[in-house]
Amino acid sequence: MPQLLLLEGLRRVDPATPLLRADDLGVLRGESVFETLRIAAGRPAFLAAHLARLAVSADRLDLALPQGWEELALMACDGVDEGVLRLVCAKGPPPLGFALVTDIPADAVRGRTFGVPAVTLTLGVTAAQRAEAPYLLGGVKSTSYAVNMATLRHARTLGAEEAIWMSSDGEVLEAPTATVALIVDGVLVTPPTSVGILAGTTLGAVLALDRVPCDVRRVTAHELQTADEVMLLSSVRGVAPVVSLDGRELGVGPVTADLRDAFEASLIS
Ligand SMILES: Cc1ncc(COP(=O)(O)O)c(C=O)c1O
C-alpha cells in the first residue's frame, strides 16, 4: 500500500519515483527532518504537535521548511483508515518535502500488545551535555538516525528488542525511537527535555488523558532499575510495556496496560 505525495504541487506520484538528488544535503550529510505519525480512524493523529516539532527540528538544522505540510498530511491520509505517515523534508538546496504512507508494521502491534524486552545502553554523554551543546542536536528529529539504529541492533545482540539510553552520569534519557516512562508508587515519572531528549508527542497525548499523576524530572539508573513498571511511548507503537529490563522480569504492568488501552481508544474516538 505505499503511497507517496510531494509537498511541491501537493500531488501523488508513483511510490517508486526517484526523488532526491545525489547532492542533496539530506543524502550527503543526513540533514533532513522528519516526523512519523499514526494514521488512525482516517486522520493523522496529533498532527499539530508533529508539525510544531517538525518546524523546531528544521530551525535547528537551519533548513528552510517550505509551507503546506498540513494539507499534504491530510491529503496523504485521504481514504486510509490505519497506517503510518512519514513527513520528510530534505535540506536540498532547495528543500524537498514529501509524505510517505505505509502499513503499520506487525512488530509495532506485537510490541504494544505483548511488550518488549529492553537493555540499558550508554549514549556516552552526560545528562546536561546535549542541552548545553546545541550542535549535538538533542531533541531534534533529523534523519541522522544511524546511531539510533545501531543501538537497536546492538540491543538485539544482547537478546533484547529495545534499548534505553543512559547518560554517562547515570540518568535515564530516552530510547532510540521512543520516550521512556516509569511507574513508581502509582506516579508516571519521565525525564524532562532539558536532558536533550525529543519532546514526545505520544507522552503528551497520554498525559492529556489524565489517568495517572505525572512527575517530569530527572531519573536515576537506580530508579529505573527498581521501578514498578517501565514503558516506551512512540507514535506508531503507542504505549509499549517493557517486560524485562537488563534481565529483570517486569511483565505487563497494570498502569501501563491501562494507559496503553486508553491511548488506543482515544485514537479512534
Ligand atoms: C529519539 C526519540 N525519542 C522519542 C520519540 C517518541 O516521539 P513520538 O511520541 O512523538 O513519536 C521518538 C519517536 O520516533 C524518537 O525517535
Side-chain angles (χ1 to χ4, degrees):
M1 87 116 134
Q3 296 185 38
L4 178 61
L5 296 90
L6 302 186
L7 181 65
E8 194 179 287
L10 289 180
R11 60 200 167 94
R12 269 173 210 282
V13 293
D14 183 325
T17 309
L19 287 188
L20 292 165
R21 289 172 47 143
D23 62 355
D24 192 301
L25 290 172
V27 175
L28 291 183
R29 303 291 198 198
E31 291 191 294
S32 304
V33 290
F34 77 109
E35 285 293 326
T36 306
L37 296 80
R38 177 106 68 98
I39 304 171
R43 296 186 302 262
F46 314 112
L47 178 60
H50 282 281
L51 293 183
R53 193 170 64 186
L54 186 72
V56 170
S57 298
D59 193 47
R60 296 273 305 278
L61 289 193
D62 202 16
L63 189 164
L65 198 66
Q67 301 294 306
W69 293 94
E70 185 175 352
E71 296 86 330
L72 181 71
L74 295 173
M75 192 176 160
C77 295
D78 191 26
V80 181
D81 190 43
E82 280 202 323
V84 177
L85 169 64
R86 285 193 176 79
L87 302 174
V88 185
C89 188
K91 195 171 192 178
L96 183 122
F98 61 91
L100 182 68
V101 177
T102 51
D103 287 327
I104 296 187
D107 62 351
V109 180
R110 196 164 11 93
R112 132 176 19 122
T113 311
F114 302 111
V116 288
V119 287
T120 53
L121 293 173
T122 182
L123 190 60
V125 291
T126 67
Q129 239 154 9
R130 286 202 294 171
E132 282 167 4
Y135 52 84
L136 292 178
L137 296 181
V140 171
K141 206 160 163 66
S142 79
T143 55
S144 305
Y145 259 39
V147 167
N148 305 46
M149 297 300 107
T151 303
L152 289 174
R153 283 196 298 277
H154 190 74
R156 282 182 210 120
T157 67
L158 300 174
E161 281 175 37
E162 271 292 346
I164 294 180
W165 274 329
M166 304 299 296
S167 69
S168 56
D169 49 353
E171 288 191 31
V172 177
L173 299 174
E174 61 189 334
T177 64
T179 306
V180 177
L182 336 175
I183 300 298
V184 180
D185 296 332
V187 177
L188 183 148
V189 181
T190 189
T193 54
S194 60
V195 296
I197 59 175
L198 205 67
T201 61
T202 311
L203 175 69
V206 164
L207 295 182
L209 295 174
D210 210 12
R211 295 183 81 83
V212 63
C214 170
D215 195 1
V216 180
R217 62 168 169 79
R218 291 166 75 151
V219 182
T220 64
H222 177 74
E223 287 174 296
L224 177 67
Q225 297 298 352
T226 56
D228 301 321
E229 302 178 30
V230 181
M231 69 193 87
L232 301 181
L233 303 103
S234 56
S235 294
V236 176
R237 203 165 41 186
V239 179
V242 171
V243 287
S244 75
L245 182 63
D246 293 338
R248 177 171 79 105
E249 291 303 320
L250 284 159
V252 178
V255 182
T256 304
D258 174 68
L259 293 176
R260 173 193 63 195
D261 298 345
F263 177 73
E264 292 301 314
S266 76
L267 286 173
I268 48 174
S269 64

